[in-house]
């Protein structure tokens, strides 16, 4: 785990090495000061030796100054190293997630990937900063203060031999109790993130179904969940203060008692007793800091393992070495294709699919909800890989293509397509970053989007809100089709992508495809018979199987399901008057 995370340190390595060295130096100065102070009192002040006071005073001043400078520099370097580390880690995570297949995303869920990129990475940043400073400072101060205490007075230092194990046991018992609670806090943050994400993304649905109260309740439950566990954890951690107070006071009392005895017996000097007080504070405070950093590191461990799980996950679909770089044409073949999302041959979502499409042909796909239409088309651009059988494009197995080449040549307008914040033109250029303005306008004309874009306040430079909330559903679908056309693909897949477009415009878009883009193979999934009735061939899917195949006229005779859908859409003389009733 550490080896994988350490890869993200990179250019911050030098800061990560220098910071602990400076922290160590600062710790040494902190430990040296009480010893020299004691000396200054005993040999300088008590004996009225001004030269000694001046010399030692100067040394003390120098130590204090260098301690402050190294401490401040160390803080700055550790902060910089930790921020740089988390920036790299976030970048590495993001890059890795970009290579994920749909299956990988399904496995992690997008909400949990967001938490890992944000909350978990923040935890690691704080833990890393703590590691560079406190995890070095606390043990260094503790060990050296302990040694110095022995140097000053071995007899009195024996007090620490008794006190330190008691305090250590107490502190770690508290942490042991609080640790699982802190882990729970982070899990509950996941729940809160999920609720907020869902609500914010679906705010329009929430409002239209007047579900604000339910959503508020869900949010309150999640927020209260965090509050409750956090309160429990803090209640446990609050025991730290009385324990520390008790141990510090008890140690001071013991020191006073033994110290007074030793001073009376001339075995200890006043300055040495004062040094012992300082060392007591340093040792006990360091122990407290150690327990805190131990807690922070153990919390970060949970975040680290969640992040490493993502970094270790291999993309389930990768580009082959020396993949084919060109696609001859848009011929599509499905040869005895079976598919299961769970890789389980007993739970197939697609069964024995056989299809042959010549380049430029149009295939219509219709079937009930959940019959496997989207699944079928997702196999062509390798959004998922077949469980058995073979899918070919241009006569070559899709798995033999370079993945970018394949996806550039198979343009998919998905069912839940999204637009991103930016101008209309920016969004369209996702299809082809080098597209000229003329090419953009042309694609929009084919998709019947040009007309409404021209009417937008700034035309093609109009800003779109995230997910295209300032355009209508049908306009968004047409923009997505234009974006897909700009890729100049061999195959264009429209997965129910004109459902919000009126039938007239839908027909005009298909007409444009036929007239202007005859070389592109078109695969159209639709719930509307009118959207596919003029296709060269149509397949009817039912429970993952092709139950009928042919032209519109043939299917009306041969497929009862097709006929029923046709009837339910109230066709009269080829005119469409309704929607699919699947
Ligand atoms: N990511 C997924 N993981 C697991 N099962 C899935 C996944 N996506 C779809 N399924 C399942 O696969 C089957 C086919 O789903 P698919 O989305 O292909 O149907 P569809 O015909 O396109 O439906 P619709 O018309 O509603 O879009 C369904 O039973 C569905 O629950």
């Amino acid at each position: 785990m550490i080896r994988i995370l350490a890869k993200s340190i990179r250019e911050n390595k030098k800061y990560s090495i220098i910071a602990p060295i400076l922290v160590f130096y600062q710790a040494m100065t902190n430990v040296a000061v009480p010893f020299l102070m004691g000396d200054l009192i005993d040999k300088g002040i008590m004996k009225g030796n001004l030269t000694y006071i001046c010399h030692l005073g100067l040394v003390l001043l120098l130590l204090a100054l260098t301690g402050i400078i190294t401490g401040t520099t160390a803080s700055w370097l550790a902060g910089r190293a930790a921020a740089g580390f988390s920036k790299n880690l976030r970048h590495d995570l993001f890059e890795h997630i970009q290579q994920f297949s749909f299956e990988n995303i399904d496995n992690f869920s997008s909400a949990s990937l967001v938490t890992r990129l944000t909350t978990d990475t923040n935890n690691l940043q704080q833990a890393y900063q703590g590691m560079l400073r406190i995890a070095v400072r606390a043990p260094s101060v503790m060990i050296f203060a302990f040694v110095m205490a022995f140097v000053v007075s071995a007899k009195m230092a024996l007090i620490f031999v008794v006190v330190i194990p008691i305090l250590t046991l107490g502190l770690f018992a508290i942490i042991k109790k609080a640790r699982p609670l802190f882990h729970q806090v982070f899990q509950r943050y996941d729940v809160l993130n999920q609720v907020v994400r869902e609500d914010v993304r679906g705010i329009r649905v929430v409002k239209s179904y007047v579900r604000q109260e339910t959503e508020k309740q869900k949010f309150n439950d999640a927020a209260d969940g965090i509050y409750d566990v956090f309160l429990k954890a803090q209640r446990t951690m609050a025991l730290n203060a009385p324990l520390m107070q008790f141990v510090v006071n008890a140690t001071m009392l013991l020191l006073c008692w033994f110290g007074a005895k030793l001073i009376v017996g001339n075995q200890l000097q006043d300055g040495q007793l004062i040094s012992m007080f300082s060392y007591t504070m340093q040792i006990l405070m360091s122990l407290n800091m150690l327990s805190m950093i131990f807690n922070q590191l153990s919390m970060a461990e949970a975040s680290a393992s969640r992040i490493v799980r993502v970094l270790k996950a291999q993309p389930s679909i990768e580009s082959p070495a020396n993949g084919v770089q060109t696609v001859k044409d848009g011929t599509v073949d499905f040869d005895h294709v079976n598919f299961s999302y769970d890789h389980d041959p007993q739970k197939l979502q697609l069964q024995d699919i056989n299809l042959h499409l010549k380049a430029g042909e149009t295939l219509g796909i219709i079937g009930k909800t959940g019959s496997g239409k989207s699944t079928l088309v997702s196999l062509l651009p390798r959004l998922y890989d077949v469980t058995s059988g073979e899918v070919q494009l241009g006569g070559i197995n899709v798995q033999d293509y370079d993945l970018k080449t394949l996806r550039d040549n198979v343009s998919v307008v998905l069912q839940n397509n999204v637009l991103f914040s930016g101008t209309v033109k920016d969004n369209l250029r996702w299809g082809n970053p080098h597209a000229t303005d003329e090419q953009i306008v042309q694609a929009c004309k084919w998709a019947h989007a040009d007309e409404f874009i021209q009417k937008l306040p700034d035309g093609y430079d109009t800003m779109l809100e995230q997910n295209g909330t300032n355009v209508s559903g049908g306009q968004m679908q047409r923009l997505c089709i234009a974006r897909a056309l700009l890729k100049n693909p061999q195959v264009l897949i429209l997965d129910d992508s004109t459902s919000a477009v009126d039938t007239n415009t839908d027909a005009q878009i298909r007409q444009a495809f036929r007239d202007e883009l005859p070389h592109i193979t078109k695969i159209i999934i639709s719930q509307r018979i009118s959207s596919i009735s003029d296709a060269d061939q149509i397949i009817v899917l039912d429970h993952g199987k092709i139950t009928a195949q042919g032209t519109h006229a043939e299917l009306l005779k041969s497929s009862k399901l097709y006929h029923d859908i046709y009837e339910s859409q109230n066709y009269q003389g080829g005119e469409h008057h309704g929607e699919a009733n699947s």
Side-chain angles (χ1 to χ4, degrees):
M1 181 159 88
I2 290 178
R3 203 167 36 85
I4 293 177
L5 292 173
K7 283 187 195 152
S8 301
I9 299 175
R10 299 204 279 276
E11 74 280 7
N12 303 292
K13 207 169 177 179
K14 49 183 181 294
Y15 309 125
S16 306
I17 294 170
I18 299 170
I21 294 174
L22 295 181
V23 167
F24 184 74
Y25 175 81
Q26 188 205 14
M28 291 304 95
T29 60
N30 286 172
V31 177
V33 167
F35 184 79
L36 295 177
M37 284 288 264
D39 222 31
L40 186 113
I41 294 169
D42 294 335
K43 294 184 186 152
I45 299 174
M46 300 302 258
K47 298 207 168 116
N49 186 342
L50 201 63
T51 330
Y52 196 78
I53 294 175
C54 285
H55 280 154
L56 212 58
L58 209 67
V59 173
L60 273 168
L61 188 73
L62 220 70
L63 274 180
L65 267 179
T66 52
I68 290 172
I69 294 169
T70 48
T72 315
T73 319
S75 272
W76 181 70
L77 289 179
R80 185 172 171 157
F85 164 68
S86 84
K87 182 191 83 172
N88 290 345
L89 186 62
R90 229 172 244 135
H91 177 269
D92 295 346
L93 258 177
F94 191 74
E95 285 255 303
H96 194 67
I97 292 170
Q98 294 306 306
Q99 294 164 28
F100 273 4
S101 65
F102 277 35
E103 186 184 347
N104 292 117
I105 308 264
D106 290 348
N107 287 344
F108 283 107
S109 97
S110 11
S112 110
L113 287 175
V114 171
T115 316
R116 287 164 214 237
L117 271 163
T118 50
T119 320
D120 285 327
T121 315
N122 278 346
N123 282 348
L124 281 197
Q125 176 178 341
Q126 278 166 18
Y128 191 62
Q129 190 166 353
M131 235 169 62
L132 294 182
R133 291 183 56 232
I134 300 162
V136 176
R137 184 184 155 77
S140 314
V141 169
M142 205 177 84
I143 293 167
F144 284 99
F146 196 57
V147 170
M148 291 308 285
F150 263 93
V151 171
V152 174
S153 166
K155 273 187 190 161
M156 284 183 74
L158 286 175
I159 295 173
F160 298 125
V161 178
V162 181
V163 169
I164 290 177
I166 295 175
L167 183 60
T168 311
L169 280 178
L171 287 176
F172 282 87
I174 292 172
I175 293 291
K176 200 168 168 226
K177 201 159 172 240
R179 224 169 115 185
L181 295 171
F182 278 116
H183 280 268
Q184 274 185 40
V185 170
F186 286 105
Q187 281 160 7
R188 294 196 182 196
Y189 268 125
D190 269 2
V191 178
L192 184 78
N193 279 354
Q194 179 99 21
V195 172
V196 172
R197 245 173 75 90
E198 228 173 63
D199 182 77
V200 173
R201 285 181 77 185
I203 193 76
R204 283 155 195 269
V205 183
V206 172
K207 285 193 180 295
S208 58
Y209 279 81
V210 202
R211 297 274 294 181
Q212 287 97 321
E213 283 311 312
T214 326
E215 286 301 299
K216 258 192 230 165
Q217 192 55 47
K218 263 164 69 184
F219 176 85
N220 287 343
D221 288 348
D224 288 351
I226 294 177
Y227 174 78
D228 290 344
V229 187
F230 211 78
L231 214 63
K232 262 195 215 164
Q234 288 305 336
R235 219 179 287 143
T236 311
M237 290 303 288
L239 293 174
N240 249 2
L243 176 69
M244 274 302 290
Q245 208 68 48
F246 171 74
V247 174
V248 168
N249 289 339
T251 314
M252 291 295 184
L253 275 176
L254 284 172
L255 278 178
C256 287
W257 192 58
F258 278 119
K261 274 180 129 186
L262 290 174
I263 286 176
V264 171
N266 265 340
Q267 288 174 291
L268 192 78
Q269 296 179 23
D270 299 353
Q272 286 179 317
L273 182 61
I274 292 173
S275 315
M276 288 304 282
F277 283 136
S278 298
Y279 288 134
T280 305
M281 289 311 288
Q282 285 186 347
I283 291 171
L284 300 183
M285 288 301 162
S286 302
L287 250 177
N288 196 25
M289 278 204 283
L290 259 182
S291 74
M292 295 292 180
I293 191 75
F294 177 73
N295 185 37
Q296 192 179 35
L297 289 181
S298 76
M299 283 196 291
E301 192 197 327
S303 291
S305 69
R306 283 158 57 93
I307 288 177
V308 167
R309 228 173 298 144
V310 176
L311 288 173
K312 269 172 130 176
Q314 282 303 313
S316 61
I317 292 180
E318 282 185 293
S319 201
N322 307 317
V324 181
Q325 300 275 352
T326 46
V327 178
K328 189 175 82 186
D329 59 29
T331 318
V332 173
D333 288 284
F334 278 66
D335 186 16
H336 295 290
V337 169
N338 290 317
F339 175 79
S340 160
Y341 280 106
D342 305 321
H343 305 281
D344 180 356
Q346 305 305 318
K347 271 174 59 188
L348 292 175
Q349 270 79 30
L350 289 176
Q351 291 180 50
D352 199 28
I353 302 292
N354 291 292
L355 262 179
H356 174 73
L357 276 177
K358 289 195 203 115
E361 268 189 351
T362 301
L363 170 76
I365 306 179
I366 198 159
K368 290 182 184 170
T369 300
S371 56
K373 303 181 293 293
S374 304
T375 308
L376 190 149
V377 294
S378 68
L379 302 180
L380 194 54
R382 287 190 75 197
L383 301 181
Y384 294 93
D385 268 342
V386 295
T387 305
S388 62
E390 193 172 308
V391 179
Q392 293 184 349
L393 173 66
I396 293 174
N397 188 334
V398 288
Q399 297 186 6
D400 294 335
Y401 281 108
D402 167 72
L403 205 53
K404 184 173 182 317
T405 306
L406 176 72
R407 291 188 179 161
D408 277 348
N409 279 280
V410 180
S411 228
V412 194
V413 184
L414 292 169
Q415 214 168 14
N416 315 314
N417 238 313
V418 288
L419 292 172
F420 294 84
S421 41
T423 64
V424 170
K425 216 184 263 177
D426 292 340
N427 269 280
L428 292 166
R429 284 216 166 97
W430 272 64
N432 174 6
H434 311 293
T436 61
D437 285 357
E438 289 71 32
Q439 286 169 324
I440 288 178
V441 172
Q442 183 58 73
C444 288
K445 282 188 174 155
W446 289 330
H448 275 256
D450 177 63
E451 201 178 322
F452 86 80
I453 296 173
Q454 300 285 5
K455 287 185 191 148
L456 291 174
D458 296 310
Y460 280 82
D461 294 316
T462 305
M463 283 299 290
L464 292 176
E465 303 291 329
Q466 194 188 7
N467 215 5
T469 42
N470 54 343
V471 287
S472 76
Q475 290 171 339
M476 178 154 143
Q477 287 187 333
R478 281 180 276 167
L479 283 175
C480 291
I481 294 173
R483 180 174 66 183
L485 286 174
L486 274 165
K487 273 171 106 177
N488 192 21
Q490 298 280 7
V491 181
L492 174 70
I493 299 172
L494 304 183
D495 186 353
D496 220 359
S497 339
T498 52
S499 55
V501 176
D502 63 274
T503 43
N504 208 10
T505 312
D506 185 18
Q508 286 174 354
I509 295 173
R510 278 178 290 115
Q511 185 68 44
F513 286 175
R514 253 195 315 274
D515 298 344
E516 310 286 343
L517 306 163
H519 61 287
I520 297 183
T521 308
K522 277 89 57 183
I523 301 180
I524 301 174
I525 296 177
S526 181
Q527 305 279 8
R528 281 200 302 227
I529 293 267
S530 66
S531 298
I532 54 168
S533 57
D534 48 6
D536 298 298
Q537 48 172 316
I538 301 167
I539 57 171
V540 182
L541 270 186
D542 196 13
H543 292 97
K545 288 187 196 149
I546 297 180
T547 55
Q549 191 163 3
T551 60
H552 173 68
E554 287 164 356
L555 287 176
L556 277 180
K557 289 186 201 134
S558 65
S559 168
K560 180 169 177 332
L561 183 59
Y562 189 83
H563 191 267
D564 287 350
I565 297 173
Y566 175 76
E567 284 291 308
S568 70
Q569 292 180 0
N570 203 10
Y571 269 74
Q572 288 159 2
E575 282 302 308
H576 170 257
H577 296 284
E579 296 295 305
N581 198 2
S582 55

